[in-house]
Amino acid sequence: MDTTSLSSMIANIRKVDERSAVLSFITIEPYIDMIYVEVEDPVEEIFNISRFTFHDNLRWREDEEKDFEKKCLNSDYPLHYNSADFDRIYSYYSALHPEWHLKRYYTREMRLLDHIHHCMTRNTAKELLYKAGVDELAVRVNDAHGINPSATNPSEIYGNVPMRVIRALNTEYGAVLLSETEYRGFLKEIGSQYPDIFKDPLNDAQCEYILRLKKGDLTNPEIYRLFLSQKTRLSGLWSHSLFVRFVAAETAKDTIREKAQALIAVDPFYEKYVPSMGTSKLAELLHYLVNNKEELDRDIRRSNRKRDYSWQEHYDGYVIRYPQTINDFCRESVYMSNCLMSYLEAYVENDTTIMFLRRENDVNIPFITIEIYNRTLTQAFHRFNTECTLEETAWIKGFCWRHNIIYGCDR
């Protein structure tokens, strides 16, 4: 680029902004060479000129990297350039290197240069993330704490968070979740316990909601249940302001209370308990009993067909049976005031067995909730997780003996 061309370019920018910056490309193929000019004071002709060259295996010094990030990616100046140049760059390099997963960024055009630069520069976290197609994480990875700088794959960068989780979190707020060691541990745990959370890509609202729930000091089962109850609604929120309005609506107790009437319509049993329920519990029950009742009933019936029918007994003053519907699960959980709902997915998938023990003379009232895992009795509790009596324990031990179940607890 000659001096006359540069002066003409600067003069044109001056007509638009008092303090501006301009980006112009010297060459695009087979490598990128560009000039960046800051116009600080046109009267005094104070210009700051930088040159950035992107070439395969060409590594910049640390100060050059920071200069590029400050001036091009996070410029304090209105930045002017020819978008047609970015069209040419995208067309050439995406055809030459499909393995780079380049994207044509129209609202963040400078990200295309960052993407290409780090794919050309070997052995960086950004290279690994860009080439894995998780560009939203790549552009924010420098803000993450405690990442592995010598990682050889994206999972290692984030302390071995599974790749399916990383792909699902390719958003701004997904990057926030991956940025802290505490959150990464949480993501590995909940991804292992409830893999369906991350089976599809999440949007910013869904990631921000998970972050909000995590900051709320909830357990993983609570986070999972609440997230599922709002997942579909969150999928339609495309801006942070919409998410803020969603949160405001979610926390409006009166609105939730009004919806609770739909819960009572399913089963009048709940009318007694609704006034003392928290909004999260109400939201959970509405999710299961109003929004997804038919589907969950089918899942439970299908699950029960795989179980040993002979375990259901009417014997010596007691009745023991499997849950038959999602309402069975919910009634038991509400009355017993236990964490039974956190076992729903495991029950449906036949990973564990839940049984309800009733007194023969009052079979409709929850009495003792039992869990049997891997043919071993692991839990048997009354309401509020209180212990069984000696008589009840003897009956349960007899039940285990009759069906070749290991009595694995001292309850």
Side-chain angles (χ1 to χ4, degrees), residues 17 19-23 36-37 71-73 75-81 86 110:
D17 299 292
R19 298 187 65 185
S20 308
V22 63
L23 186 68
Y36 173 92
V37 181
K71 293 180 176 179
C72 296
L73 302 184
S75 179
D76 293 330
Y77 293 87
L79 185 58
H80 299 269
Y81 47 79
F86 285 83
M110 296 303 298

Side-chain angles (χ1 to χ4, degrees), residues 137 140 144-145 158 161 165-166 168-188 190 197-198 202-215 223 227:
L137 302 183
R140 297 175 176 86
H145 303 287
Y158 296 111
V161 172
V165 177
I166 290 173
L169 296 175
N170 185 36
T171 73
E172 178 182 355
Y173 282 92
V176 175
L177 276 166
L178 286 163
S179 69
E180 301 290 343
T181 303
E182 174 191 1
Y183 296 155
R184 293 196 284 270
F186 155 71
L187 290 170
K188 286 190 284 187
I190 202 165
I197 287 184
F198 304 110
L202 303 180
N203 66 7
D204 260 326
Q206 290 166 331
C207 291
E208 190 172 1
Y209 189 59
I210 291 174
L211 180 64
R212 175 182 171 84
L213 294 175
K214 176 59 181 173
K215 289 180 176 179
I223 291 173
F227 175 74

Side-chain angles (χ1 to χ4, degrees), residues 108 111 114 126 129-130 135-144 158 170-173 175-176 179 204:
R108 301 181 181 90
R111 189 181 296 180
D114 188 59
K126 278 194 172 184
L129 294 171
Y130 273 133
D135 56 307
E136 295 289 343
L137 302 183
V139 78
R140 297 175 176 86
V141 70
N142 291 342
D143 297 326
Y158 296 111
N170 185 36
T171 73
E172 178 182 355
Y173 282 92
V176 175
S179 69
D204 260 326

Side-chain angles (χ1 to χ4, degrees), residues 276-292:
S276 59
M277 279 184 190
T279 55
S280 61
K281 185 64 176 179
L282 282 172
E284 175 190 52
L285 293 175
L286 287 166
H287 170 71
Y288 289 131
L289 293 175
V290 176
N291 301 333
N292 296 283

Side-chain angles (χ1 to χ4, degrees), residues 6 100 140 180 243 266 278 304 307 340 344 367 370:
L6 183 59
W100 288 0
R140 297 175 176 86
E180 301 290 343
F243 178 77
V266 172
N304 284 347
R307 303 184 190 280
L340 177 63
L344 176 60
F367 186 58
I370 290 173

Side-chain angles (χ1 to χ4, degrees), residues 19-289:
R19 298 187 65 185
S20 308
V22 63
L23 186 68
S24 185
F25 294 94
I26 301 172
T27 184
I28 288 174
E29 306 170 16
Y31 63 92
I32 297 172
D33 199 359
M34 66 183 192
I35 296 283
Y36 173 92
V37 181
E38 292 176 355
V39 184
E40 289 194 357
D41 190 331
V43 176
E44 298 295 331
E45 295 187 347
I46 300 176
F47 308 133
N48 294 322
I49 301 176
S50 301
R51 184 174 180 177
F52 300 103
T53 302
F54 304 170
H55 198 293
D56 205 30
N57 285 323
L58 175 64
R59 297 189 69 87
W60 293 349
R61 299 187 309 271
E62 184 177 351
D63 63 310
E64 291 174 317
E65 287 280 359
K66 290 181 177 179
D67 199 36
F68 174 69
E69 291 176 5
K70 178 182 178 181
K71 293 180 176 179
C72 296
L73 302 184
N74 306 302
S75 179
D76 293 330
Y77 293 87
L79 185 58
H80 299 269
Y81 47 79
N82 187 347
S83 286
D85 289 334
F86 285 83
D87 290 333
R88 289 176 53 206
I89 291 169
Y90 173 74
S91 178
Y92 176 77
Y93 287 97
S94 61
L96 186 64
H97 294 287
E99 74 279 6
W100 288 0
H101 300 287
L102 289 180
K103 297 180 181 179
R104 179 64 176 94
Y105 306 96
Y106 289 98
T107 57
R108 301 181 181 90
E109 290 187 298
M110 296 303 298
R111 189 181 296 180
L112 178 63
L113 298 181
D114 188 59
H115 196 146
I116 291 171
H117 165 54
H118 285 283
C119 285
M120 287 180 166
T121 306
R122 302 292 182 263
N123 304 317
T124 67
K126 278 194 172 184
E127 177 207 4
L128 295 173
L129 294 171
Y130 273 133
K131 288 183 177 179
V134 285
D135 56 307
E136 295 289 343
L137 302 183
V139 78
R140 297 175 176 86
V141 70
N142 291 342
D143 297 326
H145 303 287
I147 60 173
N148 181 359
S150 60
T152 58
N153 61 66
S155 179
E156 288 182 2
I157 292 173
Y158 296 111
N160 297 314
V161 172
M163 196 61 209
R164 61 181 174 79
V165 177
I166 290 173
R167 292 193 186 282
L169 296 175
N170 185 36
T171 73
E172 178 182 355
Y173 282 92
V176 175
L177 276 166
L178 286 163
S179 69
E180 301 290 343
T181 303
E182 174 191 1
Y183 296 155
R184 293 196 284 270
F186 155 71
L187 290 170
K188 286 190 284 187
E189 288 178 4
I190 202 165
S192 175
Q193 293 171 319
Y194 308 107
D196 56 316
I197 287 184
F198 304 110
K199 69 179 180 180
D200 300 310
L202 303 180
N203 66 7
D204 260 326
Q206 290 166 331
C207 291
E208 190 172 1
Y209 189 59
I210 291 174
L211 180 64
R212 175 182 171 84
L213 294 175
K214 176 59 181 173
K215 289 180 176 179
D217 198 28
L218 300 175
T219 65
N220 287 0
E222 289 171 329
I223 291 173
Y224 172 71
R225 293 194 299 269
L226 290 171
F227 175 74
L228 278 193
S229 72
Q230 301 294 347
K231 182 179 180 181
T232 301
R233 184 181 173 193
L234 289 163
S235 68
L237 307 183
W238 61 89
S239 70
H240 182 68
S241 62
L242 288 175
F243 178 77
V244 170
R245 287 198 290 272
F246 159 80
V247 171
E250 185 198 27
T251 54
K253 294 185 178 180
D254 291 342
T255 302
I256 293 293
R257 298 289 171 194
E258 290 172 6
K259 291 181 178 179
Q261 297 307 309
L263 179 64
I264 297 170
V266 172
D267 190 336
F269 165 85
Y270 299 105
E271 185 170 10
K272 174 182 177 181
Y273 302 94
V274 162
S276 59
M277 279 184 190
T279 55
S280 61
K281 185 64 176 179
L282 282 172
E284 175 190 52
L285 293 175
L286 287 166
H287 170 71
Y288 289 131
L289 293 175

